[in-house]
Amino acid sequence: MNEFDLQSLTGLLRRQRFTIAVTVIAVLGLVILALSQIPSRYSATTLVMIDPREQRLVSLDNVTPAPPNIGAVDGEVEIMASPVIARRVIARLNLQDDEEFNRPDLLTQIAAGLWPAAVDGSEGQAQPGQPLPPRVERRIIDRLARRVDIARRGVTSIIAIEASSRDPDKAARIANAYAQAYIEDQIASRLRLVANAERVLASRVTDLGEELRRAEAELDRFTLEQAMERMGEDGRNRLVSLRTALEEDIAARTDALARLRTLEPLVQDADTTGIARALAGGESDALTEERREIERQLSAGRLPPARVTALRTRIAAIDARIVALGRARTEELQRAADASEQRAQQVRRDLDMLVNTSDLPADASVQLYKLREEVAANRALYQNYLGRLRQVSQQRGLVLADSRIVAEAMAAVRPSFPPTLPILVASLFLAFGAGFGIAWVRDTFGRGFLKADEVEEATGLDVVASLPQVESARAAVPVQDKVVREPGSGYAEAIRRLRLGLDILMSAGEGEAGGKVVLVTSTKPGEGKSVTAVALGRAAALAGRRTLLIDCDLRKPSVHRLLKVDVKTGLVDILADRATTAHVNDVRVIDPLSDMSAFISGDAQFFPAESILDSARFRALLEGCRKAFDVIILDAPPLAVVSDPLLLAVYADVVLYVVHWKTTTQREVLQSLKELRRVKGETVYVALNGVAAASGEGSYYPYAAKSRKPGRSA
């Protein structure tokens, strides 16, 4: 920061010290008032560790364990934050009865006060045993979600559940309830998965068993037929005996498996009623009757507590005994099925020996081989799926969650919200910043621009040139004539630099792509935009460029006065389609000082300027002029007065915005530029006009500020 900037800052603080002080006091007062009204909240955090390894329900192949799936932790975060877990937490903690979560919102309270019938029955507490109304449940879930933050700790497999509440104990209970509900949901999901897998595998085992029995029956039939054809009377009797034994073994195995499939799920679920019904007799009936008698005694009531405890203990023992009987029966049925299967296999081996000793034809041998292979393949597939079914069934009682609580939440001692000290410190900085900003705005936008740097900083536009102030009363030569009559003056040099800068800015393209049309406008009248347009056109003409100046200020034309020419027919007479025989060349005048061509506006008081400047004739005129001239300057009216410059900006390649030094306020310039920049924001440049020599700006004329060309963003 240089000395001048430091002095400027010191002067701003001195001039606006009262504004800064009032702003600081007001901001701090509002913050303190807000802090006093905000209820305190306490936070509690529960840590849950997730096992990221993929859990396989059934290992179908002998493969190495799956690698950790780190991305699965992020998925578990989403599951924890889901409405399903929130419903479990609400039911566990009875949050539907908590005013902090089940309080009607402000609009509902207002509606209830004005029209109670409109909200009757849709708000308030749910009846015991009845589900929450959807609208109330959604509101509680939303409020609970806003009070709970679930996030992963860095790249670890630990998830932090942070809950906040006005009650520190309640915050801890909510965080712990979320963790417990999530783990319970995991276990329930795994149990559903096991049940689904059991159902699918059981169906597949049944189908494969039927397919195996069909293949075995076909093999047995074919084997017996072939043996019968080639055996004597004694051999046939032996075959009949083997077939009878085989059928009995198959029937016994089928019956044992059917009973086993019925009893096995009941034992796994510890369904004592179903087990007793399946066993139907013997010790199970006696145990069932004893259990009923104990239940009748308990239902009668008026028993001593010790007696009640003893009876309940006896019921638990009876249930355990019934389950044990069911388990023993399943083992017995499995042994019976295995024994029947072994006997059947022995009979089949005997049949195979009889068939193998006979002389079978080739086609019969091939068919026998195919049937044996089919049976072997079906048996292997059946045994494979049966093993998977048993493996899944064994997992029913071993289902565990792949997550655990590593740190339960504890009630907080100090509130976590609002953070009073950080807020006050931040508010102090904010107050000083706001005070300085308001002071800067008041000090800056209440005056005009004093430096080209100020223009660029405030508008974001490049200043192409700073034109020095010329005292018209003392000047023997008018300002617009100085380029020709006083070419060595500071003003003439500034205009030439302005012309060269615009040439560079419009030279981005080649041939037809090169820029030709310059629109000259300003914020308000009296800023010298017409004088600048005439001087700029004369400088271009003196440089050998075919130059045309068009007076587009139809409401208040001034080019004819500056050029000191007088024409009876103006451009308006042709473009407005008046009854005239004049040609466009009739309104063209030649500047006697520079050979610059100019189109004089004429009288447009009976015609709307918008209809002329936005007409097809005007567009055609500009297209023709682009072919005939190298430089076309459009002298537009002030932007703050009329909207004509916005129409003309569409035709221009470059917009030169003239800002008068010190007199035109920054607020006026920014307000006027707002719409212009929407149309030509990338090709708008500024000329700071009327700069006093004592300011130090008049002796500096940038050749092309920042070398920005049309098409580049400001």
Side-chain angles (χ1 to χ4, degrees):
M1 181 179 292
N2 56 38
E3 182 180 358
F4 179 77
D5 291 335
L6 182 59
Q7 292 178 354
S8 300
L9 178 61
T10 304
L12 185 147
L13 294 175
R14 184 178 61 254
R15 292 189 300 270
Q16 302 293 335
R17 60 184 181 277
F18 180 75
T19 301
I20 296 175
V22 170
T23 304
V24 170
I25 294 174
V27 171
L28 290 180
L30 290 176
V31 170
I32 293 173
L33 179 61
L35 288 175
S36 65
Q37 298 300 318
I38 297 176
S40 298
R41 290 185 185 175
Y42 297 83
S43 297
T45 302
T46 299
L47 300 181
V48 178
M49 176 175 285
I50 307 295
D51 184 359
R53 291 175 298 181
E54 182 180 355
Q55 302 293 326
R56 295 176 182 266
L57 183 62
V58 182
S59 179
L60 302 183
D61 302 297
N62 293 325
V63 296
T64 57
N69 184 7
I70 301 301
V73 180
D74 295 328
E76 299 303 320
V77 172
E78 297 299 324
I79 294 176
M80 285 188 187
S82 65
V84 175
I85 305 300
R87 290 189 181 96
R88 288 178 177 266
V89 174
I90 293 171
R92 181 186 294 270
L93 301 179
N94 294 323
L95 296 183
Q96 67 273 10
D97 300 329
D98 193 324
E99 184 182 358
E100 184 176 356
F101 296 94
N102 191 12
R103 182 184 68 257
D105 51 44
L106 181 60
L107 292 178
T108 303
Q109 294 178 14
I110 295 175
L114 298 177
W115 190 12
V119 295
D120 186 27
S122 63
E123 302 292 342
Q125 309 296 337
Q127 296 298 325
Q130 297 296 326
L132 286 171
R135 184 175 177 182
V136 177
E137 183 184 44
R138 183 73 259 176
R139 183 179 65 223
I140 298 175
I141 291 176
D142 291 342
R143 288 179 179 172
L144 181 61
R146 289 195 294 268
R147 302 291 180 86
V148 177
D149 182 33
I150 303 174
R152 181 180 181 179
R153 286 288 177 86
V155 294
T156 67
S157 57
I158 294 179
I159 298 176
I161 306 173
E162 182 179 0
S164 63
S165 173
R166 294 195 292 263
D167 182 358
D169 293 328
K170 186 192 299 182
R173 290 197 302 271
I174 292 175
N176 292 329
Y178 254 94
Q180 294 164 2
Y182 165 71
I183 293 176
E184 291 174 358
D185 182 74
Q186 269 196 344
I187 295 175
S189 299
R190 290 187 179 278
L191 288 175
R192 289 193 297 269
L193 182 61
V194 170
N196 292 335
E198 277 187 311
R199 184 167 55 255
V200 173
L201 289 174
S203 175
R204 183 58 177 158
V205 166
T206 301
D207 295 340
L208 290 175
E210 293 295 331
E211 189 67 20
L212 176 60
R213 284 189 288 274
R214 183 200 62 76
E216 289 177 342
E218 182 65 20
L219 175 61
D220 296 340
R221 183 192 62 76
F222 185 79
T223 303
L224 289 170
E225 287 179 356
Q226 296 299 323
M228 283 288 188
E229 292 178 0
R230 292 165 179 79
M231 294 292 173
E233 186 66 26
D234 294 338
R236 290 191 182 95
N237 293 333
R238 172 66 175 160
L239 289 175
V240 170
S241 176
L242 291 175
R243 181 176 62 184
T244 302
L246 179 62
E247 291 174 351
E248 291 176 354
D249 291 335
I250 292 175
R253 179 177 180 273
T254 302
D255 181 66
L257 289 177
R259 295 186 179 187
L260 181 63
R261 297 293 173 262
T262 301
L263 185 59
E264 213 169 25
L266 300 176
V267 173
Q268 292 174 354
D269 294 337
D271 184 357
T272 56
T273 303
I275 294 173
R277 189 182 302 112
L279 296 179
E283 186 179 357
S284 65
D285 288 348
L287 291 172
T288 302
E289 184 60 31
E290 182 181 356
R291 192 180 195 283
R292 290 174 182 169
E293 179 61 28
I294 294 174
E295 289 178 347
R296 282 195 294 270
Q297 294 179 24
L298 290 173
S299 62
R302 292 177 301 193
L303 294 175
R307 178 61 176 166
V308 172
T309 302
L311 291 177
R312 294 191 183 278
T313 303
R314 180 56 185 163
I315 288 178
I318 291 173
D319 291 342
R321 179 56 184 165
I322 292 176
V323 172
L325 289 175
R327 187 174 294 107
R329 181 58 177 163
T330 57
E331 295 174 355
E332 179 183 346
L333 290 173
Q334 185 64 54
R335 288 194 298 270
D338 293 341
S340 299
E341 176 66 16
Q342 292 175 2
R343 291 194 299 271
Q345 293 300 327
Q346 182 60 44
V347 172
R348 291 190 177 96
R349 284 193 293 270
D350 294 342
L351 287 173
D352 288 342
M353 292 179 60
L354 292 175
V355 173
N356 291 334
T357 57
S358 63
D359 187 14
L360 291 177
D363 57 344
S365 297
V366 172
Q367 181 65 19
L368 182 61
Y369 175 78
K370 289 182 178 179
L371 291 174
R372 287 174 178 173
E373 289 297 317
E374 182 180 359
V375 169
N378 287 336
R379 180 176 290 109
L381 190 60
Y382 173 78
Q383 293 296 336
N384 186 9
Y385 272 88
L386 183 61
R388 296 180 189 179
L389 177 59
R390 290 174 178 172
Q391 182 181 356
V392 172
S393 299
Q394 291 172 358
Q395 291 185 9
R396 178 186 292 271
L398 301 175
V399 171
L400 298 175
D402 57 2
S403 58
R404 60 188 178 91
I405 299 175
V406 296
E408 288 190 348
M410 300 180 63
V413 178
R414 291 184 296 273
S416 60
F417 182 85
T420 305
L421 184 59
I423 288 178
L424 288 177
V425 173
S427 300
L428 183 61
F429 283 99
L430 177 63
F432 275 108
F436 182 80
I438 294 174
W440 181 83
V441 170
R442 292 190 61 185
D443 189 74
T444 301
F445 288 88
R447 61 173 176 81
F449 293 102
L450 302 179
K451 297 169 56 179
D453 293 342
E454 290 183 355
V455 179
E456 293 180 346
E457 183 178 357
T459 64
L461 303 176
D462 291 342
V463 176
V464 186
S466 294
L467 307 179
Q469 182 180 13
V470 178
E471 295 293 340
S472 301
R474 301 179 182 179
V477 179
V479 179
Q480 67 274 12
D481 296 346
K482 284 184 174 292
V483 177
V484 181
R485 299 188 181 276
E486 295 181 358
S489 63
Y491 183 82
E493 180 63 26
I495 289 294
R496 285 193 293 270
R497 289 182 180 273
L498 174 61
R499 194 267 304 172
L500 289 173
L502 292 177
D503 282 348
I504 293 175
L505 293 170
M506 292 192 298
S507 63
E510 297 289 342
E512 292 296 329
K516 291 186 176 183
V517 181
V518 180
L519 174 68
V520 182
T521 185
S522 62
T523 304
K524 58 185 180 180
E527 295 191 71
K529 54 94 182 173
S530 296
V531 172
T532 303
V534 172
L536 180 62
R538 284 175 170 173
L542 292 175
R545 310 291 295 277
R546 294 175 298 171
T547 306
L548 173 64
L549 173 63
I550 303 178
D551 191 353
C552 297
D553 193 347
L554 305 183
R555 295 174 175 82
K556 192 176 180 181
S558 59
V559 171
H560 63 286
R561 289 189 290 100
L562 296 174
L563 296 180
K564 299 178 182 178
V565 296
D566 188 17
V567 292
K568 295 182 180 180
T569 303
L571 191 61
V572 173
D573 298 305
I574 298 175
L575 297 178
D577 199 16
R578 287 178 172 173
T580 177
T581 59
H583 188 265
V584 68
N585 287 330
D586 296 333
V587 300
R588 176 186 175 190
V589 298
I590 304 299
D591 179 26
L593 298 182
S594 63
D595 292 334
M596 175 186 67
S597 300
F599 285 160
I600 304 304
S601 171
D603 186 8
Q605 59 179 332
F606 299 108
F607 294 89
E610 295 82 358
S611 63
I612 297 175
L613 298 178
D614 196 27
S615 64
R617 291 190 177 189
F618 186 74
R619 289 193 292 270
L621 174 65
L622 281 182
E623 288 298 323
C625 293
R626 280 181 177 270
K627 298 177 181 179
F629 294 93
D630 299 323
V631 178
I632 303 172
I633 300 175
L634 306 180
D635 180 26
L639 187 58
V641 179
V642 293
S643 61
D644 298 356
L646 301 178
L647 299 174
L648 294 169
V650 179
Y651 309 120
D653 299 310
V654 169
V655 176
L656 181 63
Y657 198 84
V658 178
V659 177
H660 199 277
W661 179 80
K662 197 175 182 179
T663 60
T664 308
T665 65
Q666 298 185 29
R667 185 188 303 274
E668 293 172 330
V669 171
L670 294 177
Q671 186 66 31
S672 299
L673 279 175
K674 186 181 299 183
E675 296 183 355
L676 179 60
R677 296 183 69 172
R678 294 196 188 106
V679 181
K680 300 294 279 188
E682 297 181 350
T683 53
V684 179
Y685 302 90
V686 178
L688 189 59
N689 189 32
V691 179
S695 67
E697 285 286 310
S699 60
Y700 172 67
Y701 311 107
Y703 187 78
K706 300 181 184 177
S707 299
R708 188 164 64 87
K709 297 180 179 180
R712 288 183 58 186
S713 177

